Amino acid sequence: MSFRLKVSSLIAVVLVAVLLSLGGCSRDAAVTEPTGDDSTAHLYAVYPEFGDLDDMVHEADAIITVEFISARTDVIYPESSDDDDPVTNPQAGVDPTEIDMTDLGVPVTISTVKVTSSLKGELSAGDLLEVSQVGGLMDGVQYVEDQTLLLGDIVNADSLMLFVNIHDDGSADLVSASSGVLVEDGSELREACTSDDRCGEQMATTVQEVEQAVEETENSE
């Protein structure tokens, strides 16, 4: 199965790879190359931002509570395109002969999760889903996207609530790295943190508020 991220999520990461291969730079995308004994490099990606819970609920194809099962690393590549719009084609305007697509690989971590309940979408309890996130190990270097909290690194979380995009091939990704995952703690939902105390920017809410937002969204469609 091939994996992809929504265009709005991945465009800046792909742009980083293009600019590095051509020796350019951009204030909208950045990456730090590892130096010396440092085996970590940082990626920067542009993700959607949501003003409130209703916007995020509307954007998500599925809203599910899950248990984390396992994770693996893969590499994704931008698709070749003749589109001249740089928003949908980061390689627009660049001479194809100057682009080595093999250099444009972006590492992703693909987490397998088990659905425990579904608030929106076609998934059901017991289903397994693979969720891709930017970042992971590639060629001996650990690539970190600074807004992304990998699902397997989230601590004190027996249950997670995910707001995800579902693609035609069955793969999924979060609607936003910084707000697409919450920790379920009884009826409360809180922001996720990793073992190094790094937390996201998620909005705190309750399961009931999410259910109400889903109902309002469905009634308005």
Side-chain angles (χ1 to χ4, degrees), residues 7-31:
V7 170
S8 56
S9 303
L10 184 59
I11 183 171
V13 177
V14 175
L15 182 59
V16 165
V18 173
L19 292 172
L20 285 175
S21 66
L22 299 180
C25 60
S26 170
R27 62 185 177 87
D28 295 321
V31 62

Side-chain angles (χ1 to χ4, degrees), residues 62-70 111-131 151 158-164 166 170 172 184:
I63 302 173
I64 50 179
T65 59
V66 304
E67 296 176 357
F68 174 81
I69 302 298
S70 62
S111 297
T112 299
V113 298
K114 182 178 181 180
V115 177
T116 55
S117 67
S118 176
L119 286 74
K120 179 184 179 182
E122 304 300 322
L123 294 167
S124 302
D127 288 346
L128 295 179
L129 181 68
E130 292 187 316
V131 181
L151 300 185
D158 293 331
S159 179
L160 300 172
M161 180 173 287
L162 307 183
F163 298 72
V164 297
I166 305 292
E184 186 179 30

Side-chain angles (χ1 to χ4, degrees), residues 46-76:
V46 175
Y47 293 94
E49 295 182 1
F50 300 98
D52 56 34
L53 178 63
D54 291 342
D55 290 341
M56 190 162 66
V57 167
H58 183 270
E59 176 68 16
D61 295 325
I63 302 173
I64 50 179
T65 59
V66 304
E67 296 176 357
F68 174 81
I69 302 298
S70 62
R72 60 185 175 84
T73 302
D74 202 349
V75 179
I76 58 175

Side-chain angles (χ1 to χ4, degrees), residues 177-212:
S178 59
S179 57
V181 55
L182 295 167
V183 174
E184 186 179 30
D185 187 3
S187 62
E188 301 291 323
L189 296 168
R190 56 179 172 80
E191 66 177 356
C193 295
T194 62
S195 58
D196 60 0
D197 295 326
R198 187 169 68 91
C199 297
E201 300 174 355
Q202 297 89 339
M203 57 193 79
T205 184
T206 66
V207 174
Q208 183 178 10
E209 287 176 338
V210 175
E211 292 173 337
Q212 290 174 344

Side-chain angles (χ1 to χ4, degrees), residues 141-163:
V141 176
Q142 184 69 37
Y143 287 85
V144 176
E145 200 292 305
D146 290 335
Q147 300 176 77
T148 298
L149 302 179
L150 297 179
L151 300 185
D153 293 341
I154 296 173
V155 296
N156 300 322
D158 293 331
S159 179
L160 300 172
M161 180 173 287
L162 307 183
F163 298 72

